[in-house]
Amino acid sequence: MHDIVVMLLRYARGTWRFRWWMLGIAWVVSVVGWSIVAKMPDEYDSSARVYVDSSSVLRPLLKGIAIDMGDSEQRIFLMTRSLLSRPNLEKVMRMTDLDLQATTDAEKDQIVADLRKGIRFSGTSRENLYTISYTAESAEVAKLVVKSLLTIFMESNLGEARKDQDSAAQFLEQQKGEYERRMRELENELTRFEQRNLDFHPDGSAGYYNRIREGKQQIEAAKLELTVLEERLQTLTRQVEGELPSFGLGPVPEQEIVAGTGDIDMRIQAMQLRLDELRVKYTDRHPDIVQTRQSLAELNAQRARIVEEARQNAAAGGSSANSLDQNPVYQQMRLSMATLEADVAAKRRLLSEYESQVAGLEGSVDKVLALEAERRDLQGEYEIVKKNHEILEIRLESAKLGRKADSTSDNVRFRVVDPPRAPSSPSGPKRVLLSSLVLFGGVLVGFGVAFLMSQFRPTFDERQILSDALRLPVLGSVNMVWTSDQVRARKVRNISFVLTLSALLLAFGIVIALHQFN
């Protein structure tokens, strides 16, 4: 610790030898610095405070009904972050007529840079209380800049919200129209598909599978009817083409007379079966049952007339030797046999037609399966487009409702707490502080120069320093004997130094007073 104190004292004595250099440099730096501070232009600071209220009464009421076009807190956050963007600063430059001062793009860029440097925007998202301030050389310019920023900040919310809503609604309407067009195209394609493949479509007219099933049922019915007709034809053939027909050779038996009514008996039996089926479904007063009864009565009457005519003919010609071909009963049986043969041939042709149709349908099963897959694809695509179209309709209505809600009541409201005003007195620069820093800097620079000079031009004012430098022992020292003139000159120098330093402090005081009282 003692060595450090000794070393500091040595440095102090060495620096003191160049105290006039230190004082001169302090004077020069101070005068130059004070002149610069005095010439600095005045600065006027204008500010405004605005409160942003993001609470809305309609938002909880319309939750789930109308589309929320954006979180208000997020929107405020984006506004605060984008307030000092270049487009906004250029708008401020035009609103305050600062662009009239620039003739080139470089000057405009400099004005925008100065605006960004001088504007201060602060606030907290918790209280939503924001402060906008700007410092300029003119009080009116500072006020106009803050007012312009406040206007942009308040209008950006409404403009951006409306722009987002319009863009969203336009997009939804465009997509809705696109899906409507696709729905019409798919509907037309499905209609054309149904028309092209109506015979093979499972859900078409009668349907492919229903047609196969009905065709097989028709084949079974035709086979049954053909079997019945063939049996009747065989029976009638045996009666007509027997070994020894007995028609007209004696009394006609009752069985032969009745045999001539085989066809009408079949019709009566079929009509009776139909009547029984209708009675199961309907009452006796049903029109179908009444009509069937009338038809059955007519057939019975017709059968009775045929039987009566056969009996009369048999009685009239029983003892005669009329020709067999002129026998009415025989002729009736031959006519019935020809009719049965024609019916059997027609039924066989119909059965063959049914079988060929069913075979053709069964041979097209691969085509039907491919058509079913194609139809499922078309139907699935149509259902997806239809579902998306319905969703877009719901979203579009929600967007319209949300836009109406935003137009009737603002989700974000602004309240100007402190409006901007033109300051009456400059807020800067802090000339008193700057002048003090200039004086302190001048003294510090002077001390540094004096210290460096003492190191470049050292002296030996102690025996220990000389011994350390020469590495030789110092045997003794002789004290300086000051004459009266030297003492007087030393006092004059000290008094001059004190007076010069006092003059520097006095000048500093005058500068401070001038700045203090403007």
Side-chain angles (χ1 to χ4, degrees), residues 162-362:
R162 296 293 186 270
K163 187 184 298 183
D164 293 342
Q165 292 172 354
D166 294 340
S167 299
Q170 184 179 2
F171 174 77
L172 291 175
E173 290 178 354
Q174 181 181 0
Q175 293 300 314
K176 179 175 173 289
E178 179 68 22
Y179 275 97
E180 286 179 353
R181 183 185 62 80
R182 291 182 60 187
M183 282 180 60
R184 288 193 295 268
E185 292 178 355
L186 290 174
E187 288 174 354
N188 295 332
E189 189 172 353
L190 281 171
T191 302
R192 292 192 296 269
F193 177 82
E194 299 286 350
Q195 293 174 352
R196 289 195 308 267
N197 308 288
L198 187 62
D199 295 337
F200 299 99
H201 196 278
D203 299 328
S205 177
Y208 171 75
Y209 297 110
N210 289 334
R211 290 185 61 191
I212 292 179
R213 183 167 52 254
E214 292 177 358
K216 291 183 178 180
Q217 291 176 357
Q218 290 174 352
I219 290 174
E220 296 297 329
K223 286 182 177 179
L224 181 60
E225 293 178 3
L226 181 60
T227 301
V228 173
L229 291 176
E230 288 177 346
E231 290 178 354
R232 288 178 59 195
L233 181 60
Q234 291 176 2
T235 302
L236 191 58
T237 301
R238 286 195 301 269
Q239 292 178 355
V240 173
E241 298 178 356
E243 293 181 358
L244 184 62
S246 59
F247 296 102
L249 301 179
V252 181
E254 185 69 20
Q255 292 80 0
E256 293 182 0
I257 295 175
V258 177
T261 62
D263 184 53
I264 198 169
D265 287 341
M266 292 289 293
R267 294 172 62 187
I268 292 173
Q269 184 179 0
M271 192 65 67
Q272 186 64 44
L273 290 175
R274 176 171 175 78
L275 181 61
D276 294 339
E277 292 178 357
L278 291 174
R279 282 178 174 175
V280 173
K281 299 179 180 179
Y282 310 108
T283 61
D284 293 340
R285 299 180 63 183
H286 195 273
D288 292 344
I289 294 180
V290 174
Q291 182 66 30
T292 304
R293 281 181 176 177
Q294 293 177 0
S295 300
L296 184 60
E298 293 175 357
L299 290 174
N300 287 327
Q302 185 178 357
R303 182 183 184 281
R305 287 194 302 271
I306 293 174
V307 172
E308 184 64 26
E309 291 177 358
R311 286 176 179 174
Q312 292 177 0
N313 292 332
S319 57
S320 65
N322 293 333
S323 175
L324 184 62
D325 293 336
Q326 295 179 357
N327 192 310
V329 177
Y330 181 77
Q331 292 178 357
Q332 183 68 30
M333 292 181 67
R334 294 286 296 180
L335 181 61
S336 299
M337 187 176 68
T339 303
L340 284 174
E341 288 177 351
D343 291 341
V344 168
K347 190 61 69 176
R348 285 176 179 173
R349 288 195 300 271
L350 184 61
L351 178 62
S352 177
E353 184 67 22
Y354 286 159
E355 289 177 347
S356 63
Q357 290 179 0
V358 172
L361 291 174
E362 290 179 345

Side-chain angles (χ1 to χ4, degrees), residues 37 39-44 426-434:
V37 171
K39 292 180 180 180
M40 292 177 65
D42 292 334
E43 295 178 353
Y44 295 89
S427 59
K430 305 296 182 181
R431 290 187 172 86
V432 174
L433 177 61
L434 294 177

Side-chain angles (χ1 to χ4, degrees), residues 120-137:
R120 296 181 301 277
F121 184 82
S122 61
T124 57
S125 58
R126 183 176 180 181
E127 292 84 7
N128 287 340
L129 185 63
Y130 299 94
T131 302
I132 303 174
S133 58
Y134 180 69
T135 302
E137 298 179 2

Side-chain angles (χ1 to χ4, degrees), residues 380-399:
E381 185 177 359
Y382 175 77
E383 293 297 331
I384 293 175
V385 173
K386 182 179 179 181
K387 182 179 179 181
N388 291 337
H389 179 264
E390 293 174 353
I391 293 175
L392 286 174
E393 283 185 338
I394 296 174
R395 296 289 177 85
L396 182 58
E397 292 299 325
S398 300

